[in-house]
């Protein structure tokens, strides 16, 4: 019996804290809110609806808080933990190709031949890599002597959790995400 009294006493304490916090945070715009609700539902002004809204529902909520206060504490702790996790900066994973992802080695002329664009409607220029030819030329100019071009294919999980298969070329430390043959 003592444990039950202690349990319910803690529940009343929790109810008191919740009630005081609610009264302190209640905004001054309550009158406008009440008028809008009355305009939307004229039956709110009847005595039985006011009894339900102002007495029965708050009494039921208070009874539930007194009886089930441990659940409210667990929910609050979960909310606090979730907020803390969201606040922690997430280190973004960088896309990198590993040795196992490499498929085939290409020379520059082979890569340009494989990726030559011929568009009969001439929407894309008839150059290696089409609209991306400038990026390809920059890629070639940044290649170090002795660098190799490899095609690769790897599975990648994006920073937002999506999954994709990335294919492209890699040369030493320079990467381009264009598919080679």
């Amino acid at each position: 019996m003592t444990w039950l009294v202690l349990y319910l006493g803690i529940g009343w304490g929790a109810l008191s804290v919740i009630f005081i916090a609610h009264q302190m945070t209640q905004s001054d715009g309550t009158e406008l809110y009440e008028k809008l609700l009355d305009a939307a539902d004229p039956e709110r002004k009847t005595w039985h609806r006011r009894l339900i809204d102002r007495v029965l529902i708050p009494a039921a909520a208070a009874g539930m808080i007194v009886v089930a206060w441990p659940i409210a504490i667990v929910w609050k702790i979960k909310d606090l933990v979730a907020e803390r996790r969201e606040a922690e900066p997430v280190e973004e994973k960088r896309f990198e190709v590993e040795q196992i992802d490499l498929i085939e080695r290409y020379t520059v002329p082979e890569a340009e031949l494989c990726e030559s664009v011929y568009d009969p409607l001439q929407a894309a220029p008839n150059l290696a890599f089409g609209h991306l030819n400038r990026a390809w030329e920059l890629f070639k100019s940044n290649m170090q002597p002795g660098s190799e071009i490899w095609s690769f294919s790897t599975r990648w999980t994006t920073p937002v959790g999506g999954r994709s298969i990335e294919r492209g070329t890699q040369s030493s430390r320079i990467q381009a995400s264009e598919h080679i043959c």
Side-chain angles (χ1 to χ4, degrees):
M1 185 67 170
T2 306
W3 289 106
L4 179 63
V5 171
L6 179 64
Y7 179 84
L8 293 177
I10 293 172
W12 278 105
L15 176 63
S16 301
V17 169
I18 290 170
F19 179 76
I20 291 169
H22 177 71
Q23 292 300 321
M24 291 175 66
T25 59
Q26 194 172 14
S27 66
D28 294 332
T30 308
E31 280 184 43
L32 176 63
Y33 181 68
E34 289 290 327
K35 287 179 183 178
L36 288 172
L37 287 175
D38 289 340
D41 185 11
E43 279 192 32
R44 287 187 77 236
K45 292 182 178 183
T46 61
W47 70 270
H48 63 280
R49 281 293 295 273
R50 279 187 281 163
L51 175 69
I52 291 170
D53 290 345
R54 295 190 180 153
V55 177
L56 295 179
I57 291 176
M64 289 176 65
I65 289 172
V66 169
V67 173
W69 61 267
I71 295 171
I73 292 173
V74 169
W75 280 343
K76 186 62 177 175
I77 290 171
K78 283 185 176 181
D79 285 345
L80 291 173
V81 169
E83 287 175 10
R84 183 171 289 165
R85 282 187 186 152
E86 290 175 3
E88 291 177 1
V90 177
E91 187 176 322
E92 198 169 308
K93 187 178 171 186
R94 224 179 117 207
F95 179 76
E96 292 183 11
V97 177
E98 297 177 11
Q99 183 76 25
I100 196 167
D101 301 326
L102 300 178
I103 299 171
E104 187 175 352
R105 184 172 41 181
Y106 288 93
T107 64
V108 170
E110 288 173 335
E112 288 178 338
L113 181 65
C114 285
E115 293 299 327
S116 292
V117 173
Y118 172 71
D119 183 3
L121 299 177
Q122 297 180 350
N126 292 332
L127 299 170
F129 294 93
H131 288 294
L132 296 174
N133 184 265
R134 246 187 232 171
W136 170 248
E137 294 298 328
L138 180 64
F139 178 80
K140 287 192 316 185
S141 68
N142 287 331
M143 287 178 61
Q144 304 296 321
S147 293
E148 298 175 333
I149 300 174
W150 284 81
S151 62
F152 67 87
S153 178
T154 185
R155 295 190 186 279
W156 169 251
T157 302
T158 64
V160 293
R163 294 181 180 213
S164 67
I165 296 177
E166 298 292 327
R167 295 184 179 99
T169 61
Q170 177 173 339
S171 171
S172 295
R173 287 168 276 229
I174 305 166
Q175 295 180 12
S177 59
E178 293 305 310
H179 175 65
I180 303 290
C181 290

